[in-house]
Amino acid sequence: MKNLLLLSVFLLSGVLAFAQPRELTEEELDDRFNFYVVNDLGRNGYYDQKPIAERMGEMEEVVGFEFVAALGDVHHFEGVASVNDPLWMTNYELVYSHPELMVDWFPILGNHEYRGNTQAVLDYGKVSRRWCMQGRYYTQEYEVEDGVTLRLLYIDTAPLIDKYREESDEYPDVCKQDMQRQLDWIDSVLTVNKATWTVVMGHHPMYAQTSKDECEREDLQKRLNPILKKHGVDMYIAGHIHNYQHIRVKDSDIDYIVNTSASLSRDVEPVEGTVFCSSATGFSVCSASATDLKFYMLDKDGNVLHVVERKLKK
């Protein structure tokens, strides 16, 4: 009965949150470090992909964002064959064609990219100067304000999951990647990290309500989560599930975020630890200042559905 009551409260709060979206104002983002987060894009402009791309460009005209973090599956369904694959045009260049979206894009690989030629995804930066993929995993640090910094880690999650390593016919490049080398790299970067805010971003979520194989999350919880918890990461942001989820779990101070699809979404229900969930398509804004770190979950029209907020600890 207690669990049923808790589920009812989650469902009610989710409906209320979704039923009352609000406009994201320019004033909220003024004098802050802002960037877009998108993933699960590649639908050749169909469904909500093109309208969302246009809305991102329109918001960029008003606010001015630093860059776009693209968290995998820019290409459905079989990845790309080469840097000259027509999918680069139909999934990306002709869709994100708004002049204000000619900013840096920092991508990572999703499971669908791993069905194709992953080296072509890495090499596309030689064709498009806004495609700033620095490796299969990489890190950046930015100064938000004087003495206040933001550390971002872009990681490659498919090689950390046994399911993909074992399905070499479907994901031929996954088993070629050195899992331990990446985990050691993540640990080493976070060990010397002194940033005010730290955000790790991968394609696969650590926790989520989904019909996808539980082993995906279990492998990340076993291999990746202990490293993130040890080093006090603020947020872990992922995609893959095609809906919005904000989850908090026992024995962890990390905000676990699932970012929705920027083209076609799936239904979602709350589970234990769910703070918010929504089946809306959309895109997100991550915004940092000297006092807080915010993650705005937006619907396809750019309205705020939910905000994940971290306050600077004194």
Side-chain angles (χ1 to χ4, degrees):
M1 181 63 70
K2 181 178 178 181
N3 290 337
L4 182 61
L5 179 61
L6 182 61
L7 182 61
S8 299
V9 171
F10 277 141
L11 286 170
L12 180 59
S13 62
V15 169
L16 289 174
F18 183 75
Q20 298 177 357
R22 64 172 181 83
E23 182 181 358
L24 178 60
T25 65
E26 181 182 356
E27 289 73 23
E28 286 181 81
L29 301 179
D30 269 352
D31 300 320
R32 300 175 63 90
F33 186 94
N34 307 303
F35 65 94
Y36 282 133
V37 180
V38 294
N39 48 266
D40 301 279
L41 317 170
R43 301 282 178 168
N44 291 296
Y46 281 79
Y47 307 102
D48 288 334
Q49 189 184 10
K50 185 63 174 177
I52 287 172
E54 287 300 306
R55 187 69 188 109
M56 289 171 62
E58 292 165 358
M59 286 184 63
E60 173 81 12
E61 287 181 324
V62 177
V63 176
F65 293 85
E66 302 294 331
F67 54 85
V68 180
L71 307 189
D73 286 1
V74 173
H75 300 286
H76 289 87
F77 290 87
E78 303 300 324
V80 290
S82 70
V83 295
N84 299 312
D85 194 315
L87 286 175
W88 284 109
M89 299 301 293
T90 58
N91 275 338
Y92 180 60
E93 299 289 358
L94 296 179
V95 179
Y96 302 95
S97 57
H98 194 289
E100 298 298 328
L101 293 180
M102 300 300 144
V103 295
D104 290 344
W105 286 59
F106 294 100
I108 53 176
L109 298 168
N111 54 297
H112 284 285
E113 277 88 5
Y114 264 108
R115 290 185 179 184
N117 183 346
T118 56
Q119 189 59 48
V121 182
L122 290 161
D123 290 343
Y124 191 65
K126 300 173 184 177
V127 176
S128 173
R129 66 181 183 183
R130 63 174 169 163
W131 191 261
C132 301
M133 191 171 187
Q134 300 174 10
R136 292 176 186 268
Y137 47 89
Y138 52 99
T139 185
Q140 297 167 319
E141 185 171 285
Y142 300 92
E143 187 170 33
V144 175
E145 296 182 23
D146 290 343
V148 178
T149 54
L150 169 67
R151 166 74 64 179
L152 302 178
L153 275 76
Y154 297 82
I155 67 171
D156 188 16
T157 52
L160 305 180
I161 298 170
D162 289 339
K163 165 189 168 181
Y164 296 105
R165 302 184 72 87
E166 294 164 358
E167 297 177 3
S168 57
D169 290 344
E170 191 169 2
Y171 306 98
D173 286 350
V174 173
C175 62
K176 301 174 185 176
Q177 309 310 312
D178 189 330
M179 178 198 306
Q180 193 58 49
R181 181 177 180 180
Q182 182 181 183
L183 291 171
D184 290 344
W185 175 85
I186 295 169
D187 187 41
S188 67
V189 171
L190 293 176
T191 296
V192 299
N193 175 46
K194 303 296 183 183
T196 311
W197 305 111
T198 303
V199 176
V200 177
M201 296 181 285
H203 181 66
H204 294 83
M206 195 86 66
Y207 297 94
Q209 186 279 321
T210 176
S211 59
K212 292 181 180 291
D213 293 337
E214 184 65 25
C215 64
E216 295 182 12
R217 271 95 53 215
E218 290 175 344
D219 283 350
L220 292 183
Q221 290 165 22
K222 175 177 63 178
R223 293 168 176 153
L224 177 62
N225 203 33
I227 300 173
L228 306 192
K229 288 170 60 178
K230 179 176 73 170
H231 295 293
V233 166
D234 291 294
M235 295 179 180
Y236 177 71
I237 305 171
H240 189 52
I241 309 300
H242 293 226
N243 48 49
Y244 278 127
Q245 299 186 51
H246 174 203
I247 293 177
R248 300 276 301 188
V249 299
K250 294 179 181 178
D251 303 321
S252 177
D253 190 41
I254 300 170
D255 283 290
Y256 299 96
I257 296 168
V258 179
N259 196 46
T260 194
S261 168
S263 58
L264 184 64
S265 65
R266 301 188 182 104
D267 291 337
V268 62
E269 297 177 354
V271 293
E272 183 178 359
T274 300
V275 179
F276 173 82
C277 62
S278 170
S279 60
T281 57
F283 58 103
S284 294
V285 172
C286 195
S287 180
S289 75
T291 58
D292 58 38
L293 176 67
K294 295 181 179 180
F295 187 87
Y296 292 89
M297 296 179 174
L298 310 179
D299 66 16
K300 63 182 179 180
D301 297 316
N303 295 313
V304 179
L305 302 177
H306 177 66
V307 182
V308 183
E309 183 174 7
R310 308 273 301 188
K311 294 284 191 180
L312 188 64
K313 296 178 181 178
K314 296 181 179 180

